[in-house]
Structures are given as C-alpha cells and as structure tokens.
Amino acid sequence: MPLRRKLIPLLIAALSLAACGRDSGPGGQPAASAATRHTIDANSSVARTLPLEDMRDFEDARRGFIASDAPLLIAGPDGRAAWDLEGYAFVQGDAPPTVNPSLWRQAKLDGHHGLFEVVPGIHQVRGYDLSNMTLIAGRTGWIVVDPLTVAETAAAAMALARRHLGDRPVSAVIFTHSHVDHFGGVDGVLPPGAASVPVVAPAGFMEEATSENVLAGVAMGRRALYMYGAALPRSAVGHVDTGLGKGVPFGTVGIREPTIIVDRTPQQMELDGVRFIFQNAPHSEAPATLTFYLPDHKAWGSADLVPHTLHNLYTLRGTKVRDALEWSRHIDRAIELFGDMEVMFGGHQWPIWGNARALDHLRAHRDAYRYIHDQTLRLANQGHTPREIAEQLELPSALRTRFGTRDYYGTVRHNAKAVYQAYFGWYDANPANLDPLPPAEAAGKYVAAMGGADKVLELARAAHDAGEDRWAAMLLDHLVFTAPSHAAARELLAAVYEQLGYRAESGPWRDAYLTGALELRDDIQGTTIDPRRAIGLLRNTPVERFLDSMTVRLDGPAADGKHLKFNFVFTDVDETYVLELENAVLRHRRAEPAPDADATVRLTRELLLRLGVGEAGIKELVMSDELEVQGSRLKLLDFLSLLDKPDGRFPIVTP
Ligand SMILES: [Zn+2]
C-alpha cells in the first residue's frame, strides 16, 4: 500500500515530541542492574561538589502557587493518559544510587505543578505538559502564551485557570516559537470554530512549524524514542525527567494561522489593552522565535532562550545544529532592551524574580553558548577534533557551578561537537576517517583481531569491573555488531549502558543509555505514532511539503531507467503539480498540466491527508470518487510501487 504510508515521515515529524511510548510501570520489564560501586562513587562525588542544599530554585518553583489537580491525570484521545504526573511520585527524598543527584534535584523541581501567579496580571500553568502555558490578563480576557503540546493538556490547564481565576474568554494567543510544545495544544484553548482572536507569531512560524523535519521525520521519530525515554518505565532505574520538564504528553496536535507577525526588534503593539514590546529572535533555540516584554509589569517572556538548563545546540533526536552565536546575541539584545525587568518567565520551568537575579541568569546563558562556541573554535584551530574537544571542554567555574547552566537537557560535550559540526561538518580531516569500514564489517575484524568473542567479552567485563564503562561500551558494541545473538555480550552491554545512564546528569543522555539497554534485553524496536492525532496540523501543511516527503521515499535503484510523468490536480485547493521521474529522481513543480503526462490524477488535498494518516488506503484511493485518473492507471501504480514504506522500527544498538 504505497500511498497509505508515503506521508508518514511528515506525520512522525509532527509528532516527534508527542510520541510517547508505553505507560509507566515495571510490569514485564526485564530486570535492570543495580548501581555498581563506581557509579555510586561517581554520583556521590557529584553530590559533594554541588550545593544541593541551596533551596532558592525550590522557593521560586513554589512561589505564587494557587492550586493544582490531585491526582494530576489527564485523559488522552484513546483512553491512554495524555499526562500522568502520578507516575513520578517516586521522585522524592535523596537521590537513589541509580540516579545522578543533580538530575534528581532537577527532576524534583520539574515535578512542581499547578496554577501559579507570576505577578498580578500574569499567571502560569506549569507541570501540566512538558511546557508552560502563560495567561496574561487583558481588558476583556486572557492573552494565552504557548498553549502547550496537545489539546488535552491545554484544555486541562485552561480549566484549572478558569476554576480559580474566573471564567474569562481567550482574547489573544501568542506562539513564541515553531516547536510543537508551544503551539500544538491550541485547539484546547481555542476550540475549532470559536470566534477568531488575534494570533501573534514570529516571522517564518507557519513554514517552520509545518515543515520542520518533513524529510527526516521517520528516523527522527525513532531517535526521539531514545532521547525522551518513551519506552522506559518511570522509576529510579528508568525515566525520571527530560531535564526541561517531566516528560512528553500524548494527544491531539493542532495549529492556528497567525494574524500578526513579529518580524523586527523592537516591535511594539497593544493586545487586549496590554502593551507588548516584541523581540524577533530567529535562529536561536528555534528557527522562528520571539520574546516579549511587558513594560507595565516589567516582565520578560523569554520563550525557550534561557530555561533552567543548558539547552541544545544539537538535539539528540537529530536536528540541524543551532547557531550558538545568534542565540548568544539575542540574549544580549534582550539584556540591552529589557534590562529593567523585575521578573522573567519562560516556556519551561519556573520564573526568576528580581532584576539582579534575572539579569545574572541571562548573562550566564549568553556567555555559556558563547564560551562553547569560542572555545570549540580555539581548540579546533589548534588541531583538536570533536571528541578531543568534547573531552576537555568545561564551562568556566562561575558557570559550571550554577544549576541554571548545567547539563540537564543539552550538554557541553554534545554542544561542542555541534559547534564543530556547524563549521567543519562530519570530517575531522584525518584520512583514517575518510572512508572507514561500516560498523558491522569493522566490528567483525576488530573482534577477530582481539582474539575472538570470548576474549572481547573478558576484556569488556574487566573494563566494566574497573568502572571503565565508556571503554567497555566500545568493546561490546563491536561484539554485538558482529554477533548480535550473543546473549552474554548483549546482557553485559545492557548493564554497561545502565551504569552510564545512572551517572548521566542529562535527562536525554540517561534516557538514551537506558533505552539502549532496554532494546538489548527486550529487542523492542518501537516507535508509537498515531498520525490521526496531528490532522489539525497537517491541514495547514502546504501540498509541496507532502510532495517533498514523497521524493525522499523514492527507491532510487528500483527507479533507475524509468521515465514517468504525472499531473496531480488538487481540485479543492485548485493547485496543479507536475511530477516527473527521471534519472531516479522525482521532481515536482507547480505548473499547468503537462500535455505529455502519462496520466492526470484529480484528487483532493483532504484525500491526500486521509491517506497520510491511514484513514484511507490505496484501495479507497483507486476506487474513490474523489480520485479520477485520466491516462495510464498502470503507470500510476508502477510509480506508486516505487515509493518506500519505512515504518521507523529500525535497530539502533544492534546491526
Ligand atoms: Zn519548548
């Protein structure tokens, strides 16, 4: 069923954040190993070197608390929980030996949830989603900033606010940036068909939000499972926190077309009687981003520029690298423009009150990205390559010891590699790395050279016993890649990954290691996506993006030597595209129907959507009244059979 599956990359991309796997609970999970002596030592040394007794962040995370739902359990679209904070009830007291105490502290902070007053006139609902919803009191209603990831959590957050603050309408919506956790829940606050209100977004928002990662979505959806630990139990040996918030919600994703675009800095406007000064901050944390200042409250809405963690210049699920310099410059510009702020609040986590503390936080983040950028290039200019740079780069002492710029979400190590990648790409200039053997082939030769599987296992066990788990992982990765059914090798590699996960300060690093361990033991190769949940988003996606996703599906070798041409006429949006396959490349162009096409296909965009989300199949397509084929039906079917059907269940920790 080629057509049925052809749009999935886009859909998975749309849901890569919303792709939650199993529910919590250790039922049926293979036993995880206990923390080794080396892990216990490593974690206690973290506890000794950080001021874990400093309660300032906890006071801020609780400040202004009004109310919450208890238990906080939000129903999803198909009976599964959209959001379940009860699963994290185990996160209390001192860190268990299987969790880095710094991450444990962050996990406790991120567990605060409810409706909070930031200052009179500004409220936030936090802990109802990965992200925050902010409500600003306007003259007639609420200006809602960032309506969470999915409609279900957004509706629950809105209901909580209405119960305690009064039943006011939504008078405007602001999308701070193009990531789905900041707009996807819009249908929960502005039901489809509700009276239209101003919708403010940064320049490029719609294009970035609907097309981000269209082409790479399948692999990204699979990789996101590792990054967010969606398949892991929530427990002291499983997922504890993302570093940026508790987890990823599950539910219905939508979008709304902006009516007001922020495309300059500063850009002043009044929304429902409230004065705003906007900052357009593109190419920072997201390609389309804004921040805003409320001069009458002296309050700065920071979007995702400066959360209580070092953020990602490179995201482990796989995205284009972000621009460290631009990010740093936009923070500096905010300091310059809004330097009299008395409070700052963002898209994740808790606010910071007081001018000196807020600016101190901004300066630390500005300088952290700048430091990673500048020092990576300094070391590269001395000839160091990515792994060497990452191994030695540390933030300066003033930034290293403050919690707000630590490695909870992004890490200095992988961000340094991102800076290298931005300037130099994948090649480190060592010809040994120009054309090395692929992993499985190299693994076989390494294992043979080391004396065979038993010898490698023995070496790896010794390394693991000595606490050298990074080295043990390298050895065992070779062994598993040449002997994937070697049970002892898989089990030891799983145990090694677990120790690395238990020591990780970063939520995504922990989840990556522990998901690797889980898949070595359980052979799970999952990605759990229901694209029907994103139909609201897809309705706003340009036809070109759907066709783009088709071009990267074309099986090149199978298409070699074929020459086919079709007119695709979308009758409902009155757009015609000419698709031509030649040189094993599928091109599409919006144009008048080509007279020499093999067939002209008339269909609706809506049919394409239904096919994409699996509500209609190829049979329906061919039989449908909505689809009309003039010309060669056979050639059309031949063409459709050339499109790949990846299901995103490829192996990662095995060959
Ligand atoms: Zn975010």
Side-chain angles (χ1 to χ4, degrees), residues 305-307 309-310 328 331 335 357-372 395-396 398-400 402-406:
L305 257 55
V306 292
T309 170
L310 185 70
S328 180
I331 298 172
I335 294 171
R357 289 183 64 226
L359 291 186
D360 188 43
H361 182 82
L362 263 69
R363 284 191 292 265
H365 281 257
R366 173 196 66 189
D367 296 343
Y369 297 111
R370 183 84 208 205
Y371 185 87
I372 294 168
L395 290 180
L399 302 183
R400 194 161 71 225
R402 54 188 302 146
F403 290 113
T405 41
R406 287 190 68 89

Side-chain angles (χ1 to χ4, degrees), residues 17 130-131 146 177 179 181-182 244 285 303-304 311 347-348 409:
L17 255 179
L130 179 65
S131 47
D146 288 353
H177 61 290
H179 291 154
D181 52 324
H182 299 269
L244 189 67
E285 192 265 339
D304 278 10
H311 211 300
H348 299 271
Y409 194 46

